[in-house]
Amino acid sequence: MFGLHWGIIPIYFNNIVTNGFDNVMMPYYCTTFVTSAVLIAILLKNKDKSFRKVNIPATISSLLGTTEPAVYGVLIPKKKPLLISCIVSAIVGGFYGLFNLRKFAMGGMSFFELPGMIDPKTHSMNNVYIALIGIILSFILGFIATMLFWKDDTSKNQVVSNQDVTTKDTLQELIESPLEGKVLPLSEVKDEVFSKGYIGKGFAIEPTKGEVTSPVNGTITTFFPTGHAIGITSDSGVEILIHVGMDTVNLEGKYFTPLVKKGDKVTIGQKLLNFDLEGIKGEGYSVITPA
């Protein structure tokens, strides 16, 4: 989610080249399957049609090795499933570490990564078998844990009166622009997680000033360590994600200066983040910001 695994990628490459195999990245292998299992369980428990439009494609992409739609579109908004996926991934990752799962070739994701676990010298399939056992554990533990510990909260906005079920009126809230610049439709963002609305509705801004301000009165619920993204929950419960630029997580905090931290109360117009607009552009990254 935070892109921190990129810090291990050079070690992974080096191990493949120098040792002929890698076992450092392999505990991470289970995450796509755990995420898929959690999403399948959520799919069975949540019958909301609009939500299923997000969940189903996110599940498919997760099975194929891309978890961003699942993380940003389902796990983070639902909160507890994110925690479940992290815990189960740690358990299965520990299993892989215990049995020293190895990969001998780079490339491939999800199931397509399995051929790279065949030992090219002995043609042993042992690592493939270990990986398959871990995949089974990922699906079983992820699915069962979600079914047991996650409760669908779509009924929270319902109240019972005189044996009739009615829904509360949806609160409308004015959300200010968090940046100065040109407003763009989300469809123009070059990242399907945002452009296809997996995270939710919104807009994008091509900023002309390197400053992010709070669009609502609320609380900072997430502030990524790299400083490139901020999550805010308004006082009325509206959740907002401001993601400065595309793939700027790879800058690892360079050019970003946070002015608040997680848990801080903020007001409309309060400065949250300063960033070096030209510096980010100079590194070759788009500064178009979904919100």
Side-chain angles (χ1 to χ4, degrees):
M1 178 174 67
F2 299 118
L4 299 180
H5 65 288
W6 286 103
I8 307 176
I9 295 295
I11 300 174
Y12 162 60
F13 286 163
N14 183 69
N15 285 344
I16 293 288
V17 173
T18 58
N19 301 329
F21 67 87
D22 175 71
N23 56 3
V24 174
M25 276 289 291
M26 297 320 296
Y28 174 77
Y29 178 64
C30 65
T31 56
T32 57
F33 305 108
V34 173
T35 301
S36 300
V38 171
L39 262 61
I40 291 170
I42 293 174
L43 193 62
L44 294 178
K45 299 187 76 171
N46 188 305
K47 304 301 182 182
D48 182 77
K49 290 183 179 180
S50 61
F51 178 73
R52 292 168 76 89
K53 290 180 180 179
V54 175
N55 197 332
I56 291 174
T59 302
I60 295 172
S61 66
S62 182
L63 283 169
L64 296 176
T66 302
T67 58
E68 283 80 2
V71 171
Y72 290 109
V74 181
L75 299 186
I76 290 179
K78 294 296 182 182
K79 297 181 178 66
K80 185 173 284 187
L82 176 63
L83 179 61
I84 292 171
S85 65
C86 289
I87 293 173
V88 174
S89 293
I91 293 172
V92 181
F95 166 80
Y96 281 151
L98 180 65
F99 285 90
N100 195 25
L101 179 64
R102 297 181 177 188
K103 184 180 178 183
F104 301 90
M106 294 181 285
M109 298 177 70
S110 186
F111 294 105
F112 305 106
E113 200 167 350
L114 290 171
M117 299 178 195
I118 301 173
D119 192 325
K121 294 181 179 179
T122 64
H123 305 293
S124 170
M125 296 281 288
N126 287 344
N127 287 284
V128 176
Y129 298 144
I130 294 171
L132 289 172
I133 293 171
I135 291 172
I136 294 171
L137 286 174
S138 297
F139 277 106
I140 292 175
L141 295 179
F143 182 83
I144 292 176
T146 306
M147 295 297 287
L148 289 177
F149 299 111
W150 179 73
K151 184 177 181 181
D152 187 6
D153 58 2
T154 54
S155 61
K156 282 186 176 180
N157 290 331
Q158 295 184 333
V159 293
V160 179
S161 177
N162 297 326
Q163 297 182 343
D164 292 327
V165 178
T166 60
T167 57
K168 294 181 179 179
D169 292 334
T170 302
L171 294 175
Q172 292 186 347
E173 181 171 2
L174 179 64
I175 299 176
E176 300 285 342
S177 174
L179 299 104
E180 293 183 13
K182 180 181 178 181
V183 178
L184 303 170
L186 274 182
S187 58
E188 293 192 18
V189 176
K190 295 180 180 179
D191 187 326
E192 290 189 356
V193 173
F194 298 102
S195 63
K196 292 193 175 181
Y198 291 140
I199 295 180
K201 296 180 179 179
F203 55 92
I205 300 172
E206 186 172 2
T208 55
K209 185 178 181 181
E211 181 180 285
V212 177
T213 59
S214 178
V216 293
N217 296 322
T219 304
I220 303 295
T221 49
T222 305
F223 209 131
F224 286 59
T226 48
H228 74 290
I230 309 168
I232 308 172
T233 300
S234 74
D235 290 340
S236 64
V238 176
E239 295 180 337
I240 301 166
L241 176 67
I242 304 168
H243 191 289
V244 180
M246 292 291 101
D247 297 323
T248 46
V249 62
N250 298 329
L251 292 172
E252 299 180 346
K254 186 179 180 181
Y255 304 120
F256 294 96
T257 305
L259 303 177
V260 293
K261 62 182 183 301
K262 181 179 178 181
D264 284 355
K265 288 281 188 179
V266 294
T267 57
I268 292 177
Q270 179 179 340
K271 290 183 181 180
L272 308 180
L273 172 72
N274 287 331
F275 60 94
D276 186 341
L277 193 62
E278 297 305 319
I280 295 172
K281 289 181 180 179
E283 296 278 357
Y285 292 94
S286 168
V287 293
I288 292 178
T289 299

